[in-house]
Amino acid sequence: MLRVAVVGSGPSGVYTAQGLVEQDSGVLVDVLDRLPCPYGLVRYGVAPDHEKIKSLQNTLRTVLEHERVRFLGGVRVGADGVPAERLRELYHAVVYCVGAATDRHLGIPGEELPGSFSATEFVSWYSAHPDAGAGRFVLEARSAVVVGVGNVAVDVTRMLARGATELSPTDMPQEALTALAASRVTEIQMAGRRGPSQARFTTKELRELGALPDTDVIVDPAELALDPAYADPSALPAPQRRNVEVLRGWAERPRTGAPRRIRLRFFLRPVELLAAGGRVAAVRFERTAPDGHGGVTGTGRYEEVAAQLVLRSVGYRGVAPEGLPFDAGRGVVPNLAGRVLRDGGVAPGEYVAGWIKRGPTGVIGTNRPCAKETVTSLLADAPALVRRELPGDPVAVLCAEGIEPVEWAGWLAIERAEVELGASLGRGVVKLPDWESLLAAARGAVS
């Protein structure tokens, strides 16, 4: 039997496992994750109010419950865990599906001021990621600026504008729910350095902003008009054309005087975060203009926007997995159709899939063809890989070396504990927010 370790239990990892066991009946797959919970960004990145997308967990669950797939949570690979070389000794092949773990920075003065956070930190907090810890994101803020015009920027904007009535039915942790329900944020500005025709949000996500109760969505028609494609969007791809049409509708409709306002801003580039009282108080933007080549150029005109909370959502970046080569410029592991390349040559038995393979691009579904390509490469190599003798069942070896994986039964215990927690709070399922409670539940202890 061919034994394969898949490192990462998000969509790319689970799709890889699925492809392996469906295409070859002689494959055994262990899906490893440093967290005790599976599903990756589906659990810890999809907004709590996006129940349809979160239901993808049911599809991923079916794979992880396959008779030839094992989930091994709480297993760190690399620093302070199982070295990559040791993992390679325990399995015929290892596929790294570790995503892109860090945010891109703005690289401007004041970026590290208190009150300035990456959008990922905010998402991790309201999604109960155990590394997030306690957050003080909205308790004192009245106005917020979200830098970026992609789907993550729309998500965090929407979460800031939602009230307790809409958030309570979600699986959001109680601390985040309490803080957001008490939020005094009434003004949210989402700003992009380019125009509406180049924004990266999807139309479905964009429209959700307009459906928020007690919230006006405000768009300045003068800013929209700066985009050369705005007057006649017919040449734009359909998604961008639909975005422009939605924005035009908002620009033309009257305000209702709702207690909360979301302002979508364009052609503004942040150049500095300004402080008052030792924390962020405003964002200084430079007005930009189209350069005629798809980019923008600075105009030398500036604007300051008050904000006691700044969330930066300008993209992700891969982190070098310990023991693997890494292209720091692209933020990926060098590979050929998923096969890891070392010094220009293929490294036998080492593979990548997902963002660490191709960069942080695409949507969840993009991981399917990406994983399929890697699986095709691995199974083509399998006859040579399976000849190597292994030291035994990897789980038994890891346990003997002091590693205690959270297996599927442990994850099911976490699920039961989250149901019980929700019931005790008069809510539905509520996520356990920290390592201690997750591991206590997994080990069968009272959390």
Side-chain angles (χ1 to χ4, degrees), residues 159-177:
M159 287 296 104
L160 283 171
R162 281 214 184 277
T165 301
E166 302 122 73
L167 295 176
S168 185
T170 73
D171 61 6
M172 179 179 288
Q174 189 65 29
E175 177 199 307
L177 174 63

Side-chain angles (χ1 to χ4, degrees), residues 190 196 201 206 209 216-225 230 243-244 246-253 255 262-266:
M190 188 169 71
F201 40 63
L206 180 63
L209 295 180
D216 270 338
V217 180
I218 300 168
V219 187
D220 184 348
E223 285 188 350
L224 298 181
Y230 178 69
N243 286 344
V244 168
V246 171
L247 293 167
R248 176 179 281 112
W250 287 341
E252 293 173 351
R253 76 181 184 186
R255 302 179 190 179
I262 296 174
R263 299 179 188 272
L264 274 66
R265 308 291 309 278
F266 298 96

Side-chain angles (χ1 to χ4, degrees), residues 10-60:
S12 64
V14 177
Y15 290 151
T16 298
Q18 182 179 32
L20 288 168
V21 295
E22 287 184 351
Q23 294 182 44
D24 192 327
S25 61
V27 179
L28 299 174
V29 180
D30 287 345
V31 179
L32 285 62
D33 203 298
R34 74 177 189 88
L35 298 176
C37 308
Y39 311 137
L41 282 179
V42 178
R43 176 175 168 90
Y44 289 119
V46 174
D49 60 342
H50 276 177
E51 294 182 7
K52 185 175 181 180
I53 301 175
K54 289 174 75 66
S55 68
L56 176 62
Q57 291 183 12
N58 297 327
T59 302
L60 304 182

Side-chain angles (χ1 to χ4, degrees), residues 95 333-341 346 350-353 357 369-379 381:
V95 188
V333 171
N335 70 92
L336 179 63
R339 296 179 175 96
V340 172
L341 297 175
V346 170
E350 294 182 311
Y351 303 85
V352 285
K357 170 188 174 183
C370 176
K372 182 179 179 180
E373 180 185 58
T374 296
V375 167
T376 299
S377 296
L378 194 160
L379 292 180
D381 301 341

